[in-house]
Amino acid sequence: MRFSAPRSISPSPVRGKTSTFGLQSDSDSNSDEYDLEESSSSGSNYDSDSGTSTSESESLSYPLNSCFLQPRRPRHSAQSIVERRQIDDTIAAIRLRTRHHDPYEEWEKATRKDAFRTARKEQSATQLQLTERQEKQRNQDAERLAAIHSQQMAEVQNRLETMKIQQQREETRMREGWKMRDQKLWERIETVIQLEEDKVRKRIEAENKAKEEEEKQRKQEELKRRLVEEKKKQEEEQKRVAEEEERQKKEQEDRKEKEELLKREEEKKLKSDRVKAEDGQRKTLGLTTAEEDWRQARINLQRLKMDAMTLVKSNKELKAEWGKWRRQITPKIGQLTNDQQAIKHISTQIIHILVPPNSPAHHRAIYTALLSSLAKAILLQAETEVIAEKRSAQPLGQVTFILLDSLDGFSEIFFAKLVQRTGGWPIPVVVPNTDTGGQPWKDTADRTKAIGYRKSATGDDLETAAEYGARVSAIMRVYFHILKVPPSRQPLKPMFQLPRYWTWFARLMGERGLLETAVAPQLIFAALDVMGADAIKIWGHQWIKILALIYEGITTGLGNQKLIGGESSEGTAARARIQMEVERIINAS
């Protein structure tokens, strides 16, 4: 708001031009005096008397006197009489200047006070009008709100009457339904009795027919036995010829296998020498080898089975308590959807199951057993849901990340169960020919189980290579989504940190035995599909080198001229998907 000061009826005094002993005249320093007066009047009360000008002038003269009366002089310098006289004249001029009384300035101050007093009166009147308008608006709003409330109350009353009528109609409908249900129930009973009579009649007819069929089948079996004997003689001759061909083929395969074994032993020796050479630097950085990671996961799994699980299963009370809480975990994992609110809600519910907020903590063995059950539930959910829809891996990975970040000891147990279900692929590493203690496996089935093979869903035999690849790929897709989630509070254990993504590719590209399997290209595609494009932003040109090496392996082959994934149909299909994904990532960057 802009205010204007009224003109005073008294004429403004006129300044005269007087000598100021060698300083500037009054007309030349008007701007300086006005600036000084403005700063003085703005910091003081508008109603202060005019005597403040003199006190301010005296306060201003103090530092000037001090400055000129005590000048800083260089050491060993003499001051002439002329210089001393100039200083005295200057000081006298400044004192005269500061004690000068100007009538114009007094008039200017009085004018400013009148202007501000008028502005205050106008501002008060304006504020009063604004307050009255606001009070009137509040009254109007209150009346309008009361009218709305009355209307809503009437609508609620009408709605209640309507609901009452609907309830009466529903009760009538239900009574009629119960009558019809009783009638149908008796009809069903009569029908069942009739069906049982028909079954007895049909059974008698079937027994008679079976006797006739048995006689007919005996004659057919006699004829069939004679044909089988003749066919067996022909098959024995064909078998002898096939065995000879198989023997020659096996000799060729054994020779190739020996050559491949020698080559792998040589590579293994070179790798072992390199690992030993880098052992000191790796320990300094806190890094581990793939074999050490696999051995530690295997030890954690054996410790889990021997300690916590054995104790819980051998004690009836602990087993009952464990079973009660375990049955609450699996439904929570099954209710998961790709919604952030649902993810947080289900994660909180699972955490409260394992760490009750308002009750005593679980027994340590029960807590460990529940962590094992939770890890198994997550992996089974990945095997069933992600195989059907790969997008379901993202919410499952986010929930797993929250649990890993919140539950003490869950990282080691989950990684141990992950290695148990998928073999050495999460590390990745070839499962060795001996167990953790150096002792050989009990039998081939024991090592096959350590590799990650399970019974087929369609029978008692082991799952096929295609079933194994699809199941491991689904679980590893969830693992890659866990690596993709940025930590919110603190980093997770090393096996669940983002650098593990780079380590996984670096280790895999150095394991020829893994690259030649059909599972390798399926996992490579899953990893690139989850975070291949984001990896360029993180590792830049180094990641492009990894992509170039993968592209070479699926198109022309690596050093041994063998393509990644071998010659199987699953490997061929996975290589085609990898090629399209690599080209998409490169073009997008």
Side-chain angles (χ1 to χ4, degrees):
M1 184 180 294
R2 185 181 298 274
F3 300 102
S4 60
R7 295 184 59 85
S8 176
I9 57 175
S10 61
S12 59
V14 180
R15 292 185 177 180
K17 296 182 180 180
T18 59
S19 176
T20 57
F21 297 94
L23 298 179
Q24 293 180 346
S25 63
D26 293 340
S27 61
D28 294 335
S29 59
N30 284 341
S31 60
D32 296 335
E33 291 178 359
Y34 183 77
D35 293 340
L36 184 62
E37 183 63 20
E38 281 291 323
S39 62
S40 173
S41 61
S42 62
S44 62
N45 194 346
Y46 292 111
D47 295 332
S48 61
D49 56 9
S50 60
T52 57
S53 175
T54 305
S55 61
E56 292 178 16
S57 300
E58 290 176 358
S59 63
L60 290 173
S61 66
Y62 175 73
L64 294 176
N65 292 339
S66 301
C67 178
F68 286 98
L69 289 176
Q70 297 179 3
R72 296 180 60 87
R73 293 179 299 176
R75 188 178 295 178
H76 305 294
S77 63
Q79 191 175 33
S80 64
I81 298 174
V82 177
E83 292 175 345
R84 183 64 183 174
R85 184 177 299 166
Q86 291 177 351
I87 291 173
D88 293 340
D89 293 342
T90 303
I91 292 172
I94 291 172
R95 287 177 178 173
L96 182 60
R97 176 67 178 171
T98 56
R99 296 171 182 174
H100 177 68
H101 179 70
D102 192 349
Y104 180 83
E105 292 178 355
E106 295 297 329
W107 172 84
E108 190 176 19
K109 286 183 180 181
T111 303
R112 189 180 294 111
K113 289 180 182 179
D114 294 339
F116 276 108
R117 191 175 295 110
T118 303
R120 285 196 193 96
K121 292 180 179 179
E122 294 180 358
Q123 194 270 343
S124 298
T126 304
Q127 186 65 29
L128 181 60
Q129 295 177 1
L130 177 62
T131 304
E132 291 176 353
R133 286 197 299 269
Q134 291 177 346
E135 183 65 24
K136 183 178 180 181
Q137 184 64 34
R138 279 195 296 269
N139 295 335
Q140 293 176 354
D141 292 341
E143 293 175 357
R144 181 174 53 83
L145 186 60
I148 292 174
H149 287 174
S150 300
Q151 182 181 358
Q152 291 177 347
M153 181 60 71
E155 292 176 355
V156 169
Q157 292 294 339
N158 294 335
R159 183 61 178 171
L160 289 175
E161 292 295 332
T162 304
M163 291 176 64
K164 185 176 180 181
I165 295 172
Q166 291 178 353
Q167 183 180 4
Q168 293 174 355
R169 292 177 181 174
E170 185 68 17
E171 290 177 355
T172 304
R173 186 185 62 79
M174 291 181 66
R175 290 192 187 96
E176 294 176 354
W178 278 105
K179 291 180 181 179
M180 294 179 64
R181 178 180 175 278
D182 291 341
Q183 183 179 356
K184 290 181 180 179
L185 181 61
W186 284 108
E187 292 176 355
R188 219 150 89 206
I189 293 172
E190 296 293 337
T191 304
V192 169
I193 293 173
Q194 184 66 31
L195 289 175
E196 290 297 327
E197 293 176 352
D198 293 342
K199 286 181 181 178
V200 172
R201 185 177 63 256
K202 290 180 180 179
R203 186 180 67 212
I204 296 173
E205 294 175 356
E207 289 176 355
N208 296 331
K209 188 176 180 180
K211 292 179 181 179
E212 296 175 358
E213 290 291 335
E214 185 178 355
E215 182 64 22
K216 183 178 178 180
Q217 188 175 3
R218 187 183 62 80
K219 295 179 181 180
Q220 290 179 353
E221 287 179 355
E222 182 66 22
L223 179 61
K224 186 177 180 181
R225 184 179 61 80
R226 293 177 183 176
L227 295 174
V228 167
E229 288 178 355
E230 294 178 0
K231 186 177 180 180
K232 187 175 181 181
K233 292 179 181 179
Q234 295 177 358
E235 288 179 350
E236 287 178 354
E237 182 64 22
Q238 293 176 356
K239 184 177 180 181
R240 187 184 62 78
V241 176
E243 286 178 353
E244 182 64 22
E245 294 177 353
E246 183 69 21
R247 185 183 61 80
Q248 295 177 359
K249 183 177 180 182
K250 187 175 181 181
E251 289 179 355
Q252 294 178 357
E253 290 179 353
D254 291 342
R255 186 166 56 253
K256 289 182 180 180
E257 186 175 350
K258 288 180 180 179
E259 293 176 356
E260 187 69 23
L261 183 61
L262 290 175
K263 187 179 294 184
R264 289 184 180 179
E265 289 293 334
E266 184 179 356
E267 291 178 355
K268 186 176 181 181
K269 184 178 179 182
L270 293 174
K271 182 179 178 181
S272 178
D273 294 339
R274 187 178 73 251
V275 169
K276 290 180 180 179
E278 298 173 351
D279 186 61
Q281 184 179 6
R282 188 170 54 254
K283 289 182 178 180
T284 303
L285 297 175
L287 303 177
T288 57
T289 62
E291 291 76 10
E292 291 173 349
D293 289 342
W294 180 85
R295 191 179 303 110
Q296 185 61 46
R298 184 76 179 170
I299 290 172
N300 291 337
L301 180 64
Q302 293 173 350
R303 186 183 298 121
L304 173 66
K305 291 181 178 180
M306 296 299 295
D307 296 342
M309 299 306 298
T310 302
L311 176 61
V312 170
K313 291 181 179 180
S314 61
N315 189 306
K316 291 185 178 180
E317 295 180 359
L318 295 180
K319 186 176 181 180
E321 185 72 13
W322 168 55
K324 182 185 72 172
W325 294 106
R326 181 188 59 181
R327 286 188 291 271
Q328 298 181 23
I329 292 176
T330 304
K332 301 299 181 185
I333 298 297
Q335 297 169 3
L336 185 62
T337 58
N338 193 8
D339 179 69
Q340 291 299 321
Q341 185 175 359
I343 290 171
K344 293 180 181 179
H345 180 65
I346 292 176
S347 302
T348 304
Q349 288 182 331
I350 296 175
I351 293 172
H352 287 171
I353 291 174
L354 278 88
V355 185
N358 298 322
S359 58
H362 295 303
H363 188 278
R364 185 62 187 177
I366 294 178
Y367 176 74
T368 305
L370 289 175
L371 290 180
S372 177
S373 301
L374 175 60
K376 183 177 180 181
I378 293 173
L379 296 177
L380 292 178
Q381 182 74 5
E383 292 177 2
T384 55
E385 293 294 332
V386 180
I387 290 178
E389 178 54 60
K390 65 181 183 179
R391 287 180 295 182
S392 61
Q394 181 177 357
L396 189 58
Q398 292 178 357
V399 168
T400 307
F401 180 88
I402 295 173
L403 298 176
L404 291 170
D405 190 31
S406 304
L407 298 176
D408 184 27
F410 186 51
S411 298
E412 293 78 4
I413 293 177
F414 181 77
F415 194 74
K417 299 293 285 186
L418 180 65
V419 172
Q420 180 189 24
R421 301 291 299 183
T422 61
W425 288 108
I427 296 174
V429 67
V430 177
V431 176
N433 295 323
T434 59
D435 206 347
T436 55
Q439 69 275 15
W441 300 100
K442 296 178 181 179
D443 50 22
T444 305
D446 196 17
R447 184 174 184 273
T448 302
K449 186 177 180 180
I451 293 175
Y453 275 91
R454 294 293 181 268
K455 288 185 178 181
S456 176
T458 58
D460 294 334
D461 297 333
L462 288 177
E463 58 189 349
T464 63
E467 292 174 338
Y468 174 74
R471 184 175 59 83
V472 173
S473 177
I475 295 176
M476 289 299 295
R477 184 178 287 272
V478 175
Y479 177 64
F480 293 133
H481 272 289
I482 296 173
L483 301 180
K484 185 179 179 180
V485 179
S488 58
R489 297 187 303 174
Q490 59 185 1
L492 300 181
K493 293 300 176 78
M495 68 283 290
F496 297 108
Q497 293 181 9
L498 179 61
R500 195 75 175 196
Y501 186 79
W502 173 273
T503 304
W504 189 86
F505 274 97
R507 288 176 176 177
L508 179 62
M509 299 311 293
E511 288 289 351
R512 184 174 299 177
L514 295 177
L515 291 174
E516 293 176 0
T517 63
V519 181
Q522 298 181 52
L523 300 188
I524 292 175
F525 170 73
L528 295 178
D529 187 35
V530 172
M531 204 169 54
D534 297 329
I536 291 184
K537 302 175 184 178
I538 301 173
W539 291 291
H541 186 66
Q542 296 299 321
W543 178 247
I544 295 179
K545 290 182 179 179
I546 291 288
L547 295 179
L549 185 60
I550 295 173
Y551 196 84
E552 180 183 355
I554 62 175
T555 53
T556 61
L558 298 176
N560 56 359
Q561 302 302 318
K562 291 185 178 180
L563 298 175
I564 295 177
E567 302 299 329
S568 64
S569 58
E570 293 83 7
T572 303
R575 283 196 299 271
R577 290 195 295 268
I578 292 174
Q579 183 175 356
M580 291 187 293
E581 185 65 20
V582 171
E583 292 174 353
R584 185 188 68 80
I585 293 172
I586 296 298
N587 293 333
S589 62

